[in-house]
């Protein structure tokens, strides 16, 4: 079983531990790979939909891991008990949904030693939530997989940090962790963000008050991204 570069980067961030949960597991590749590499001894592969749970069950059986990976059906972290696992992966969902899953089962989330979160859209919503909750970000990684940039955020839910209050919201979008990491992909990642905003600008052709306001917002956003990049 070959996993994608994105999933490989996620599994690389899993700390050696007794057990992990993968929420929204779909194919179950993350827990399967983690077990095969010996990073954890057991895992829970959980999904809200029956199809993915059955797919995960089949893949788990084919890999001979049925005694080590439990596949559970249910929403978010509702399938996991407090202190049942040390590590969590939530990948391939929007930042809003990941935040809502965490909020809905906050006690379970706060009992974890580490969580690896990979929002496919709106990473800024998730970062803002983590910042406001004082949840410590340990590290972030970007990966470029088949032409798409993915942002992976690793946090320690148990630790509460005091964040300074006046952080510019641009840093929820452009992660200081990624910029400070000296990752050679960081500049490409920034250019990619700017390109996306330039593409939005090109589509705003109306002269309505709303369109002009949106245009101004996007121009400001591009300027801020450029400033944020040069400051770091
Ligand atoms: C795009 S797939 C991502 C699969 C895998 N995590 C990955 O990154 O490749 C999203 C999966 O999340 C599941 N899902 C969506 N909302 C969920 C929720 N609230 N709780 C658990 N699973 C959910 C879907 O059924 C689907 O299997």
């Amino acid at each position: 079983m070959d996993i994608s570069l994105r999933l490989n980067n996620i599994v690389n961030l899993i700390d050696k531990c007794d057990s992990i949960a993968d929420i929204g597991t779909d194919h179950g590749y993350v827990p399967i790979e983690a077990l095969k590499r010996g990073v954890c001894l057991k895992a829970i592969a959980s999904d809200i939909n029956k199809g993915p749970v059955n797919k995960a069950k089949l893949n788990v059986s084919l890999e001979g891991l049925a005694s080590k990976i439990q596949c559970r059906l249910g929403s978010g972290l509702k399938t996991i008990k407090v202190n049942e696992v040390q590590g969590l992966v939530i990948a391939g969902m929007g930042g809003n949904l990941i935040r809502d899953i965490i909020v809905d089962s906050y006690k379970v989330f706060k009992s974890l030693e580490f969580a690896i979160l990979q929002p496919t859209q709106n990473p800024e919503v998730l970062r803002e939530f983590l910042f406001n909750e004082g949840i410590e970000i340990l590290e972030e990684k970007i990966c470029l997989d088949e032409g798409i940039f993915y942002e992976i955020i690793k946090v320690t839910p148990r630790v509460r940090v005091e964040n300074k209050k006046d952080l510019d919201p641009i840093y929820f979008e452009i992660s200081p962790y990624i910029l400070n990491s000296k990752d050679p992909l960081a500049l490409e990642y920034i250019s990619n963000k700017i390109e996306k905003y330039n593409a939005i600008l090109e589509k705003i052709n109306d002269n309505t008050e709303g369109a002009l306001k949106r245009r101004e917002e996007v121009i400001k956003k591009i300027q801020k991204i450029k400033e944020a990049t040069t400051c770091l």
Side-chain angles (χ1 to χ4, degrees), residues 3 40 59-60 99 123 133:
I3 59 168
C40 61
N59 288 335
V60 165
R99 176 203 57 200
E133 289 300 308

Side-chain angles (χ1 to χ4, degrees), residues 69-159:
I69 302 177
Q70 278 186 34
C71 299
R72 298 185 184 172
L73 176 68
S75 173
L77 282 160
K78 301 284 176 206
T79 55
I80 313 294
K81 294 193 201 89
V82 170
N83 288 322
E84 195 178 12
V85 296
Q86 297 82 51
L88 170 72
V89 174
I90 311 182
M93 295 182 210
N96 293 276
L97 181 53
I98 295 178
R99 176 203 57 200
D100 293 348
I101 286 174
I102 293 172
V103 170
D104 279 353
S105 300
Y106 210 42
K107 267 195 176 168
V108 176
F109 181 74
K110 290 299 263 181
S111 75
L112 298 160
E113 280 169 22
F114 66 92
I116 296 152
L117 313 169
Q118 185 262 301
T120 38
Q121 308 98 33
N122 304 111
E124 72 284 358
V125 171
L126 183 61
R127 283 199 194 93
E128 185 170 8
F129 164 75
L130 297 170
F131 182 84
N132 290 338
E133 289 300 308
I135 295 163
E136 189 183 26
I137 294 181
L138 282 176
E139 65 174 299
E140 293 199 32
K141 274 219 156 292
I142 31 171
C143 92
L144 182 59
D145 190 356
E146 304 208 352
I148 300 172
F149 276 101
Y150 296 99
E151 301 174 43
I152 309 170
I153 307 169
K154 181 172 179 179
V155 300
T156 45
R158 282 185 190 171
V159 180

Side-chain angles (χ1 to χ4, degrees), residues 155-192:
V155 300
T156 45
R158 282 185 190 171
V159 180
R160 198 188 150 82
V161 285
E162 277 310 314
N163 285 315
K164 55 175 190 164
K165 298 280 174 281
D166 55 348
L167 185 77
D168 190 315
I170 199 66
Y171 291 111
F172 298 134
E173 200 157 334
I174 298 294
S175 163
Y177 292 87
I178 293 173
L179 293 173
N180 286 329
S181 71
K182 310 270 183 268
D183 187 327
L185 273 180
L187 276 179
E188 255 185 81
Y189 151 86
I190 299 290
S191 309
N192 181 264

Side-chain angles (χ1 to χ4, degrees), residues 18-33:
D18 181 68
S19 53
I20 60 155
D22 180 33
I23 303 300
T25 196
D26 196 3
H27 31 66
Y29 290 164
V30 166
I32 290 172
E33 183 69 15

